[in-house]
Amino acid sequence: MKVLLISNMYPSKKYPAYGSFVQETVRGLEELEGMECQVVAISEREAGLKKNLLKYSRLFLDTGKALLFSSYDLVNAHYIFPTGFLALPAALLRGKPLVVTSHGGDVRLGKKNAPLKALTSLVLHKARRVVAVSHYLARELEGEFSLPREKIEVINCGVDTDKFFPRPREKALAELGLNPRPKEEKIILFVGNLIELKGLMPLLRAFASISPSLPQARLVLVGEGPLKERLLQEASSLGIKDRVTFTGPLPHHRIPTWMSAAHLFVLPSYQEGFGLVALEALACATPVVASRVGGLPEVVTHERDGLLVPPGEEKALAEKILLLLKDEKLHGEFSSRARDSALGHDFKRQIKRLGGVFHSLGPSS
């Protein structure tokens, strides 16, 4: 079966983490028997009206070329709008099924105003199936866009537990060139886009409030984004500049080492469709402190493998971070259960389910 996969995010040498979950999906699909993917995607991260127009114009043209010159049995678009909208001709003009994968940001965009809601609804109702990465998103699609539940498949991206697994913390720290004595260095790790929605300003203030009582703690932010300069200024004004590390973007294969080196993973987002990065941390047996929003409660089980806090409440965030850094017994209990939690979302299992959906719509169905 040949799948034309269209995405507005895909990694490149310059941006190795940009849409890495889509690249992983392609890899997983192609490991399934009889499955082949052709990728049409945007690999440039730069934003702004002019740059976005250029990026999506190229995506439209490349999709048009695939429509004219490529052979495929099914179209899979990642993100409803604008990617799913651009994918519609490739599916409808060839009489091929369209499967749209919703990751969360597209649902937020679709609720922004009436025209965007109409276009989002059009794509959703034209698609043969809609893959939602969480039950939270499935409910949103049903409620906001009147999408029949039978059209929705809840399949998350899954975590590759062969890549994300617990490594000895001392070894992970040494590999990163950090202090190999974990009792003397406690890393609080964040991985993701440096944007307002990730709740990083409250995180900095929360860390500043507890840092005097935890001189061995360090906050590490892995990623890039438009908020970086403001975060640097805020860290400086809070007097914690020397206690906060900005690594910049890292290739996906380097993230497991950082997660094993970390004492704690934090994801204080205001909104989150699923929270794959929290799942990756759990797979490395690293407890998580995250916001109780979106699909995150489907990933992190409160008081079992992590702690959930209201979004934007830096006092509650600080208290939970401090608790897990100081209470080694509780930290150990959460860590011992984290891996098992992640195994329920194993990548191979999720990919097999996704492949099953594709095959059910393919030429032999």
Side-chain angles (χ1 to χ4, degrees), residues 174-283:
E175 284 182 21
L176 296 169
L178 302 174
N179 189 340
R181 296 183 293 276
K183 289 185 178 180
E184 297 180 20
E185 177 97 272
K186 291 189 176 181
I187 293 174
I188 303 164
L189 179 68
F190 166 86
V191 178
N193 295 323
L194 306 186
I195 56 177
E196 292 278 3
L197 279 175
K198 297 298 182 181
L200 297 175
M201 285 297 187
L203 174 59
L204 281 183
R205 292 190 287 268
F207 179 67
S209 72
I210 63 174
S211 59
S213 61
L214 286 167
Q216 75 275 38
R218 170 166 295 278
L219 178 62
V220 176
L221 305 179
V222 176
E224 62 181 343
L227 199 63
K228 183 177 180 179
E229 289 305 315
R230 282 182 56 199
L231 291 169
L232 285 166
Q233 292 170 10
E234 184 73 2
S236 182
S237 67
L238 290 169
I240 55 171
K241 187 176 181 181
D242 294 338
R243 305 273 300 278
V244 181
T245 299
F246 292 81
T247 69
L250 295 176
H252 195 239
H253 70 267
R254 290 187 60 191
I255 302 301
T257 306
W258 272 105
M259 288 183 167
S260 289
H263 199 78
L264 181 67
F265 184 82
V266 287
L267 191 59
S269 307
Y270 288 104
Q271 296 176 325
E272 204 68 59
F274 178 60
L276 176 61
V277 70
L279 184 62
E280 292 172 339
L282 293 177

Side-chain angles (χ1 to χ4, degrees), residues 143-171:
E144 291 290 338
F145 302 99
S146 301
L147 192 66
R149 183 62 183 85
E150 58 268 22
K151 286 188 69 170
I152 305 172
E153 301 282 349
V154 178
I155 305 172
N156 64 62
C157 295
V159 57
D160 190 338
T161 52
D162 292 332
K163 291 183 178 179
F164 288 85
F165 60 87
R167 296 157 172 80
R169 185 166 287 118
E170 297 92 335
K171 184 178 179 182

Side-chain angles (χ1 to χ4, degrees), residues 4-110:
L4 175 63
L5 189 145
I6 306 170
S7 176
N8 61 349
M9 299 174 71
Y10 208 76
S12 63
K13 287 185 178 180
K14 186 175 181 182
Y15 302 110
Y18 188 54
S20 58
F21 54 92
V22 181
Q23 186 181 52
E24 288 296 295
T25 297
V26 170
R27 177 183 66 82
L29 286 171
E30 291 190 329
E31 288 177 358
L32 297 177
E33 186 176 354
M35 192 73 72
E36 179 183 338
C37 294
Q38 177 183 345
V39 177
V40 176
I42 293 172
S43 295
E44 299 86 22
R45 189 186 178 89
E46 291 91 346
L49 179 61
K50 185 177 179 180
K51 289 177 179 177
N52 279 337
L53 285 173
L54 287 171
K55 287 193 299 186
Y56 282 100
S57 294
R58 285 198 294 270
L59 184 64
F60 176 73
L61 290 173
D62 289 343
T63 302
K65 289 177 184 176
L67 167 65
L68 293 173
F69 303 113
S70 298
S71 172
Y72 50 87
D73 303 304
L74 178 144
V75 181
N76 177 212
H78 281 258
Y79 292 90
I80 305 165
F81 184 87
T83 315
F85 183 73
L86 296 179
L88 275 176
L92 299 180
L93 294 178
R94 284 281 198 92
K96 304 298 182 183
L98 172 65
V99 177
V100 177
T101 301
S102 172
H103 294 277
D106 44 4
V107 174
R108 293 194 298 272
L109 180 65

Side-chain angles (χ1 to χ4, degrees), residues 202 206 209 312-320:
S209 72
E313 294 194 13
E314 58 197 64
K315 184 179 178 182
L317 182 62
E319 287 174 352
K320 299 308 182 188

